[in-house]
Amino acid sequence: MFVNLSAVMLRLCEPFLDNMESKKDKIDVNYLFYNNRIDFKDLTAINASSDEVSSWIESINNEHDQNSASGEVRLMESQEATSSGKNSTSLVRCAKKENFSFICECFFMTARVLNLGLMKAISDFKHISQQLARLEDDLESNRAMRDQGGGSPQLEQDINRLEKIVEILTQDKFCYEAQILRDGAFLQRALSFYRLMILWSVDLVGGFKMPLPSQCPKKFSCIPEHFLDDAMDLLVLTSRIPKALESFVLDDFLSFIIMFMGSTSYIKNPYLRAKMVEVLNCWMPQRSGLSSTASLFEGHQLCLDYLVRNLLKLYVDIEFTGSHTQFFDKFNIRHNIAELLEYLWDVPSHRNAWRQIAKEEEKGVYLNFLNFLINDSIYLLDESLNKILELKEIEAEMANTIEWERRPPQEREERLRVFHQWENIVRFDMKLANEDVGMLAFTSEQIPAPFLLPEMVERVASMLNYFLLQLAGPQRKSLTVKDPEKYEFKPKQLLKQIATIYVHISRGDKEAVFPAAISKDGRAYNDQLFASAANILWRIGGDPQIIKEFMQLAGKAKAAASEAMDAEAILGDIPDEFLDPIQYTLMKDPVILPSSKVTIDRPVIIRHLLSDSTDPFNRSHLTQDMLIPNTELKLQIEEFVRSQQSRKRTAAESEIGEPDGTADMVE
């Protein structure tokens, strides 16, 4: 019924949808709070709590009441002053009981009806499609188990049950497609309505211009969240229907997305902002099949100025969504962001914008972006490689057919179920890991400077050393599986990319800090590992120039390791108060944490703050600007290093000057 009502309401909107630029001014935001037909006040607002909405409405009411009272006084004085004696009190009316135009009423009622009708149907269709895909995977896995293990009565029952559910859901899916997806005119009218919704919403914040006002206007923050959420859901759906957007102008939607995608102070819900990325992801030319979408990304000024910046900001923001599933949700969202960033990197104007952001925000959002990119790369590759070892173990069990057949059917089925479950996990994690490593490879080539900052260089070196150990170390053969491509596992490509990242960072290393950082890694660094990796790279057809520079870097790291040992020997026993309490290394730039009063090395605490804005010793809130330089301790450390070096030098000179005839013999 509500889908049909949605169609009727959209028909009623048609006259002003055709001329929306001139009609949108008739849509009064006060309708949301003072109309007598629909209660919008209890709906989730875009960036205000229910208490904030109520208090804002109350403040407006008080203002209206005061204005009305003063108006009545002025009116009575006017009546007394006139001799006509006419009663004009009927002119006074409460400001709250406003008369709203048909366009205004029709607009807001249509928005509510669409949410309960068309958009609810689209949501149901999405859930049916997802459920159907999961059940079809389960059915395929169960059939594979039956083929591999003979099958038990319980397995046959499961297969029959799944087949029936799949058949019912397939019929449901066809019904939704026939009612909604095949009705192009219906969807076009809905798109036009939500274009008006976007235009009206943007007017509440001053129109299409950036940057946004520092303070979010209350009239915008109090509008129902579903107004904008429904617009994004419809765009995602229609973007995946061939030719649904072919003749539709998308510029206003793109401007809206770019304006609000990176702003937590305007749109609180991170999942709504993530949907905006999903829309843009669908519009990439290679995915949409529309040549017109390329001009959206490559010729739209707001897009050129702000898209990369806001994508990087959302990549960072999505780390903490507040949801209990935030850890896993972020990987799906970052997957969409990574695909879009990879496309934009190949567009020269966007690449230039990216470089500029990296330069301007080197110690800000860009450093946070790199930190989370590295975190995700380590986690995803580690998880994938561990799961590959477990998959290989089950493969070995199944290969031993005699022992496998002796196992009870239920046990075989359980192992196969685990096997297929892990296959899916590895495939997804490995795909994301490949994307992240790929992004590190192409960004490090042209923007190496952030990788070499004191708070990043050791972390980057440790990550690369760890990957190198996994792909070229003594345990690499244990990762051999029957069909690595099935799991998106491409060890040769990964090794080439890791070597390339080493070389790219080394090329930008003007201060020669990278070799020392590589050699400092006590967990994975080994000079023999680089030689082993180079041999593999030659065998698999790596770039000769990259391999040559890779080995030169290995030589520098080996020399740096030797120098570090000599320096450690010179310093001797270092007083505990000079050592960083986390890394237990000599501090170079000690700072005091204001809450716990602990002194710690600046690069170490900044590295921690990139992922977690708390004091690691008492979990109180902490930011970089709150750190207090421990100048006195720094001077003491510098004096200690100088005295130890001087003492060692004096000792060496005295040894050379001893009268043992050595100098005469040399002459």
Side-chain angles (χ1 to χ4, degrees):
M1 186 197 85
F2 264 87
V3 170
N4 291 334
L5 185 55
S6 298
V8 171
M9 294 304 298
L10 286 172
R11 287 284 192 179
L12 287 171
C13 290
E14 267 189 301
F16 60 87
L17 291 181
D18 292 337
N19 195 17
M20 60 179 71
E21 287 289 350
S22 62
K23 301 295 185 184
K24 61 181 169 56
D25 292 339
K26 294 184 179 294
I27 303 168
D28 186 351
V29 70
N30 288 321
Y31 185 90
L32 292 169
F33 315 112
Y34 302 121
N35 81 89
N36 296 319
R37 297 187 194 276
I38 306 172
D39 187 3
F40 289 95
K41 293 189 289 295
D42 291 333
L43 299 175
T44 302
I46 198 70
N47 200 13
S49 66
S50 55
D51 290 341
E52 287 171 333
V53 173
S54 299
S55 63
W56 183 60
I57 294 170
E58 189 176 341
S59 68
I60 294 174
N61 288 343
N62 291 338
E63 187 179 334
H64 283 170
D65 290 343
Q66 289 171 7
N67 291 340
S68 298
S70 62
E72 285 177 4
V73 169
R74 285 195 299 273
L75 185 62
M76 289 173 66
E77 288 173 352
S78 173
Q79 287 172 338
E80 290 170 2
T82 58
S83 57
S84 63
K86 289 181 181 178
N87 187 0
S88 301
T89 54
S90 60
L91 296 174
V92 180
R93 62 181 175 86
C94 178
K96 285 185 250 182
K97 296 180 181 177
E98 297 184 35
N99 291 321
F100 298 101
S101 68
F102 171 78
I103 290 175
C104 182
E105 293 220 48
C106 192
F107 174 81
F108 287 110
M109 289 178 70
T110 303
R112 196 74 191 101
V113 168
L114 284 172
N115 178 254
L116 298 169
L118 173 62
M119 302 316 301
K120 178 64 169 68
I122 287 174
S123 175
D124 290 346
F125 172 74
K126 180 181 174 183
H127 290 143
I128 287 170
S129 300
Q130 290 172 342
Q131 189 181 4
L132 184 58
R134 282 196 301 270
L135 291 171
E136 284 175 337
D137 282 345
D138 290 345
L139 182 57
E140 187 181 340
S141 298
N142 284 353
R143 285 171 175 166
M145 281 190 277
R146 181 176 62 187
D147 296 340
Q148 290 170 332
S152 64
Q154 181 61 49
L155 184 61
E156 285 298 331
Q157 286 179 18
D158 289 343
I159 290 172
N160 291 334
R161 178 180 57 82
L162 286 169
E163 285 174 342
K164 288 175 183 175
I165 298 173
V166 164
E167 184 181 357
I168 291 167
L169 286 177
T170 302
Q171 290 173 2
D172 287 349
K173 186 181 174 185
F174 286 150
C175 289
Y176 278 91
E177 286 180 359
Q179 173 95 21
I180 298 167
L181 272 64
R182 303 291 176 183
D183 192 341
F186 183 28
L187 292 177
Q188 285 283 317
R189 280 192 286 272
L191 281 168
S192 293
F193 176 82
Y194 282 110
R195 179 171 172 258
L196 175 58
M197 175 67 75
I198 291 304
L199 291 171
W200 172 77
S201 301
V202 168
D203 276 358
L204 297 178
V205 300
F208 287 116
K209 56 186 178 185
M210 289 285 280
L212 289 163
S214 56
Q215 190 74 25
C216 178
K218 278 291 183 187
K219 57 188 176 182
F220 178 86
S221 65
C222 291
I223 65 174
E225 185 180 272
H226 81 72
F227 282 13
L228 306 181
D229 198 38
D230 290 348
M232 294 305 113
D233 280 333
L234 184 64
L235 284 171
V236 170
L237 176 82
T238 50
S239 297
R240 290 172 177 164
I241 301 172
K243 299 185 178 180
L245 297 176
E246 203 162 39
S247 59
F248 201 84
V249 179
L250 300 171
D251 294 63
D252 291 332
F253 286 118
L254 179 63
S255 297
F256 173 84
I257 287 171
I258 290 166
M259 283 176 67
F260 295 103
M261 180 176 59
S263 178
T264 52
S265 58
Y266 276 75
I267 295 183
K268 186 163 42 175
N269 185 347
Y271 294 101
L272 172 51
R273 292 188 289 131
K275 277 183 190 175
M276 297 178 183
V277 177
E278 196 177 349
V279 172
L280 297 182
N281 204 273
C282 293
W283 289 354
M284 288 192 297
Q286 65 266 38
R287 185 159 294 167
S288 68
L290 299 174
S291 57
S292 58
T293 57
S295 63
L296 273 179
F297 290 108
E298 297 171 25
H300 191 288
Q301 194 55 50
L302 211 59
C303 183
L304 295 172
D305 292 341
Y306 289 97
L307 180 54
V308 171
R309 184 184 301 273
N310 286 347
L311 284 171
L312 295 175
K313 189 173 186 309
L314 183 57
Y315 193 100
V316 172
D317 290 345
I318 212 67
E319 179 75 13
F320 305 106
T321 64
S323 165
H324 67 285
T325 58
Q326 68 180 12
F327 182 77
F328 300 101
D329 293 340
K330 71 180 181 183
F331 292 117
N332 284 306
I333 296 164
R334 284 178 176 164
H335 166 61
N336 286 330
I337 296 174
E339 286 191 326
L340 196 52
L341 285 172
E342 190 173 349
Y343 159 67
L344 294 173
W345 183 261
D346 292 329
V347 179
S349 49
H350 283 293
R351 190 187 305 176
N352 291 335
W354 193 324
R355 283 203 206 97
Q356 188 62 31
I357 293 160
K359 189 176 178 181
E360 293 171 1
E361 298 281 351
E362 188 177 73
K363 293 285 185 120
V365 71
Y366 196 74
L367 199 59
N368 287 105
F369 160 71
L370 276 185
N371 179 63
F372 287 129
L373 182 61
I374 290 167
N375 285 353
D376 289 358
S377 301
I378 294 170
Y379 172 80
L380 291 165
L381 197 61
D382 205 29
E383 282 291 295
S384 302
L385 297 180
N386 286 334
K387 284 285 188 292
I388 283 173
L389 292 174
E390 293 170 2
L391 286 171
K392 191 176 177 183
E393 184 182 325
I394 300 178
E395 279 183 352
E397 290 174 13
M398 291 189 288
N400 187 348
T401 51
I402 297 172
E403 287 296 322
W404 181 254
E405 292 297 333
R406 283 179 183 167
R407 293 189 180 192
Q410 266 188 315
E411 187 182 332
R412 291 201 304 266
E413 287 167 20
E414 184 56 37
R415 291 296 280 165
L416 284 167
R417 191 169 280 110
V418 169
F419 183 77
H420 291 303
Q421 182 183 351
W422 284 349
E423 274 188 322
N424 292 331
I425 293 171
V426 168
R427 194 178 298 116
F428 180 72
D429 285 355
M430 213 58 239
K431 184 178 181 180
L432 299 189
N434 289 332
E435 280 177 356
D436 288 350
V437 173
M439 204 183 312
L440 288 169
F442 66 70
T443 54
S444 61
E445 180 179 16
Q446 298 197 22
I447 315 174
F451 293 93
L452 294 160
L453 291 169
E455 55 266 36
M456 286 299 290
V457 66
E458 289 183 20
R459 178 154 176 69
V460 171
S462 298
M463 174 197 71
L464 295 173
N465 290 346
Y466 176 69
F467 286 170
L468 202 63
L469 180 65
Q470 299 299 316
L471 298 168
Q475 301 298 317
R476 68 180 183 277
K477 291 183 179 177
S478 64
L479 296 171
T480 307
V481 285
K482 282 183 183 177
D483 187 6
E485 294 292 326
K486 182 171 72 171
Y487 308 124
E488 301 279 345
F489 181 42
K490 304 166 186 174
K492 294 178 183 178
Q493 177 186 307
L494 270 174
L495 184 58
K496 288 178 184 177
Q497 286 180 318
I498 296 301
T500 301
I501 296 168
Y502 271 113
V503 170
H504 285 167
I505 296 174
S506 180
R507 286 173 182 171
D509 184 16
K510 309 302 181 191
E511 305 293 326
V513 296
F514 193 41
I518 292 170
S519 63
K520 269 187 186 177
D521 176 23
R523 183 179 64 161
Y525 172 71
N526 182 333
D527 62 310
Q528 293 301 316
L529 188 60
F530 282 79
S532 173
N535 288 333
I536 297 170
L537 287 166
W538 283 119
R539 288 202 306 271
I540 63 177
D543 183 333
Q545 182 60 34
I546 293 290
I547 300 172
K548 180 184 173 185
E549 292 184 52
F550 177 71
M551 286 311 296
Q552 288 172 350
L553 176 62
K556 291 176 183 176
K558 187 175 181 180
S562 177
E563 287 175 17
M565 288 179 66
D566 292 343
E568 190 176 338
I570 289 171
L571 293 176
D573 291 332
I574 302 171
D576 286 347
E577 62 268 24
F578 294 170
L579 295 171
D580 176 82
I582 293 179
Q583 298 281 14
Y584 216 64
T585 52
L586 181 69
M587 291 186 283
K588 292 181 180 178
D589 187 5
V591 292
I592 302 168
L593 308 185
S595 175
S596 62
K597 305 301 180 187
V598 174
T599 294
I600 190 170
D601 207 10
R602 186 185 293 273
V604 174
I605 189 61
I606 289 178
R607 199 177 307 139
H608 165 79
L609 293 175
L610 290 172
S611 301
D612 187 353
S613 299
T614 61
D615 183 323
F617 298 96
N618 63 9
R619 308 306 296 164
S620 61
H621 178 67
L622 181 66
T623 57
Q624 289 189 37
D625 58 319
M626 295 165 66
L627 302 176
I628 305 164
N630 194 334
T631 310
E632 184 181 346
L633 183 61
K634 185 178 181 180
L635 292 172
Q636 290 175 15
I637 292 170
E638 289 171 352
E639 177 57 34
F640 168 76
V641 171
R642 274 196 301 271
S643 66
Q644 291 298 93
Q645 289 172 339
S646 176
R647 186 177 60 79
K648 192 71 176 179
R649 194 162 43 250
T650 303
E653 287 171 355
S654 65
E655 284 179 15
I656 293 171
E658 284 180 2
D660 59 357
T662 306
D664 296 335
M665 287 172 66
V666 172
E667 287 183 7

